[in-house]
Amino acid sequence: MPTPSLSSGQLPSLNSWLDQAFDPLMGWCLLVAAAAIAGHLVFRWSGFPRMLGYTAVGLLAGWLGLGDWPWPLMGNTQLLLQTAVGTSLLIAATQVSLRWLLRQPMLLLQSLAESVAALVLVAGGLQLLGMGWAVSLGVGVVAMAASPAVLLRVVADLRATGAVTDRSVLLATLSAAYALVLCLVLTVAWQPGEGAAEQAGLSLSAVGMGHLLGSLGLSALWAVLTAAAFWPVLRWQSSRSDATALYMLAVLVAVSLLATRCGGSAVLGFVVAGLLLRNLSPKPLVWPPAFTAANSMLNLLMFVLVASMAGQVAPGWGLVAAVGVATVARLVGKLGGVLLLGAGTGIGWRRQWAIACAQSPSSGLALALASGLVLQWGSSNAGVAGTVSAIVLPMVVLSEVVGVLLASLALWRSGEAHRGIGPAALAGKEKRHDA
């Protein structure tokens, strides 16, 4: 299969006109405004979460070539993505009680099984298509990650509460942690070999192992710094001002910049920081309202960015087959892993369907993992990096759209989310989704 690549757009004349008429900042302003309107309309008239509208606008923007986003992500774009992903993961990780989790061995086994199943099935499916081990494992590791950011937005839009909702966020957070650690191992300690993407393998070096230990140590350092900076303001019950939220965002941005310059994974550090904040004190954490509002705005930008990057991929029949196989294999692995090991987790088998569907979305975390993978591997084998990019980006967007639909329907079916789809539901007197 010929190596697919990212294109600058599908309409060259329109792209040149857009580049002359709008600078990147103007492009972002237009995209944010259009995404906000589209998200509101989707939510108002269908009841599905707003991110479907954000994704549609991002895909259109990528296809038209609107915006100036390098790949792999660098500079301000990378900083924006890391902050958006890290904020959501930090909030999700603060809902995980390690003491309770360690008393639930079947739940830990279930979370590990669904992540490993997605990795194995995606890598195996790409191997059947003739891809090399480097491409297969690279895409497989990215496919492991669920999206706590998507789930938190779905839960907020549908106002879902209950055991299924809490368990879904928990499993998604654990899946994200597994993917972050394994992706760090793959990018730092392993390098693709020479040759075409269809034959390239992976090689491990002693120098890479040393770099891996250093990266893990730096990630732990970023976690401690973040937790230490957040600890005082989250303990002050009277400190719920907008200034507190701005301080917290500044900490996340500063840690992301330090990780970019010094090494380590800032996003992994944010997950560990969330666990530390939750488990070092029995008192519940109360986030400033302005911080959660900022997280919503960052998520809007993130969903647009993810879709716009996928819209720049040049399509081809070989690429369509690879993306389709990877997406289906990922979905089967997520659903099968949760359903097969649902016994003994404290939730009945019927409600396991809803939890399994909630693990299917993918979004900004997968994009961040893919960007780091491509950045590290690009110097060793550009063909492998380009093929991983071309498969991962459409797979992430397709998994995001299908996953949001499945997660929304599952939460409605479980009875934990407000119902209401379409204009008829808007006129009803029952639980309206936008009430």
Side-chain angles (χ1 to χ4, degrees):
M1 187 184 80
T3 301
S5 61
L6 293 179
S7 67
S8 59
Q10 309 302 321
L11 301 176
S13 60
L14 181 58
N15 290 346
S16 60
W17 179 84
L18 288 172
D19 290 339
Q20 296 175 2
F22 303 110
D23 59 18
L25 181 58
M26 177 63 75
W28 267 113
C29 294
L30 291 176
L31 285 181
V32 170
I37 294 173
H40 173 75
L41 293 177
V42 167
F43 183 62
R44 177 71 177 174
W45 293 103
S46 72
F48 285 101
R50 294 177 175 88
M51 69 189 68
L52 292 178
Y54 306 158
T55 302
V57 171
L59 284 172
L60 181 61
W63 182 69
L64 294 176
L66 183 61
D68 183 18
W69 305 296
W71 181 257
L73 299 177
M74 293 177 287
N76 293 334
T77 310
Q78 181 188 32
L79 180 62
L80 169 65
L81 180 63
Q82 285 187 348
T83 306
V85 172
T87 303
S88 296
L89 285 175
L90 179 70
I91 294 175
T94 56
Q95 302 179 23
V96 179
S97 172
L98 292 179
R99 292 183 180 178
W100 177 85
L101 188 60
L102 292 176
R103 295 195 297 266
Q104 307 292 328
M106 285 302 299
L107 182 57
L108 283 172
L109 182 61
Q110 183 188 41
S111 68
L112 186 62
E114 60 95 3
S115 298
V116 173
L119 167 62
V120 172
L121 290 180
V122 171
L126 292 179
Q127 281 284 296
L128 293 177
L129 291 180
M131 294 293 175
W133 277 109
V135 173
S136 301
L137 289 178
V139 177
V141 169
V142 175
M144 287 179 64
S147 180
V150 170
L151 274 183
L152 290 176
R153 292 313 312 156
V154 171
V155 169
D157 282 350
L158 303 185
R159 293 190 292 165
T161 56
V164 171
T165 302
D166 294 340
R167 184 64 56 85
S168 299
V169 175
L170 171 64
L171 289 183
T173 306
L174 294 176
S175 174
Y178 301 150
L180 282 166
V181 173
L182 191 54
C183 190
L184 189 63
V185 173
L186 196 63
T187 54
V188 176
W190 296 79
Q191 290 294 326
E194 298 180 354
E198 290 78 4
Q199 289 86 32
L202 290 171
S203 60
L204 176 66
S205 65
V207 175
M209 289 299 296
H211 290 165
L212 174 61
L213 294 176
S215 296
L216 290 174
L218 286 171
S219 300
L221 176 61
W222 309 142
V224 172
L225 288 178
T226 304
F230 275 33
W231 182 269
V233 298
L234 291 177
R235 297 276 77 80
W236 298 334
Q237 296 301 318
S238 60
S239 182
R240 299 291 175 257
S241 64
D242 294 349
T244 303
L246 184 60
Y247 164 80
M248 296 167 68
L249 288 173
V251 168
L252 295 178
V253 172
V255 171
S256 297
L257 289 173
L258 285 173
T260 301
R261 296 183 179 182
C262 302
S265 173
V267 179
L268 179 59
F270 295 152
V271 175
V272 178
L275 294 175
L276 292 175
L277 291 171
R278 169 63 177 83
N279 293 276
L280 290 179
S281 174
K283 295 181 179 180
L285 301 177
V286 180
W287 301 99
F291 184 75
T292 56
N295 180 47
S296 300
M297 291 185 286
L298 288 171
N299 282 330
L300 187 156
L301 297 173
M302 179 183 69
F303 295 134
V304 173
L305 176 63
V306 171
S308 64
M309 294 305 304
Q312 300 179 43
V313 176
W317 288 113
L319 176 61
V320 170
V323 172
V325 168
T327 304
V328 173
R330 179 183 182 275
L331 182 61
V332 172
K334 291 287 183 182
L335 296 178
V338 173
L339 293 175
L340 291 178
L341 293 176
T345 59
I347 290 183
W349 185 84
R350 291 186 177 182
R351 290 202 290 175
Q352 293 292 339
W353 277 101
I355 298 174
C357 291
Q359 304 313 302
S360 57
S362 178
S363 189
L365 175 60
L367 182 66
L369 295 176
S371 179
L373 196 68
V374 171
L375 185 63
Q376 292 292 329
W377 285 5
S379 58
S380 300
N381 192 321
V384 169
T387 304
V388 170
S389 300
I391 296 174
V392 164
L393 294 177
M395 180 192 73
V396 169
V397 174
L398 188 57
S399 298
E400 178 183 307
V401 173
V402 174
V404 167
L405 295 175
L406 288 176
S408 301
L409 293 172
L411 290 175
W412 278 324
R413 184 68 176 174
S414 67
E416 295 189 359
H418 280 225
R419 299 180 182 275
I421 302 178
L426 294 176
K429 295 183 179 179
E430 297 184 357
K431 293 191 297 182
R432 276 174 44 173
H433 65 274
D434 64 336

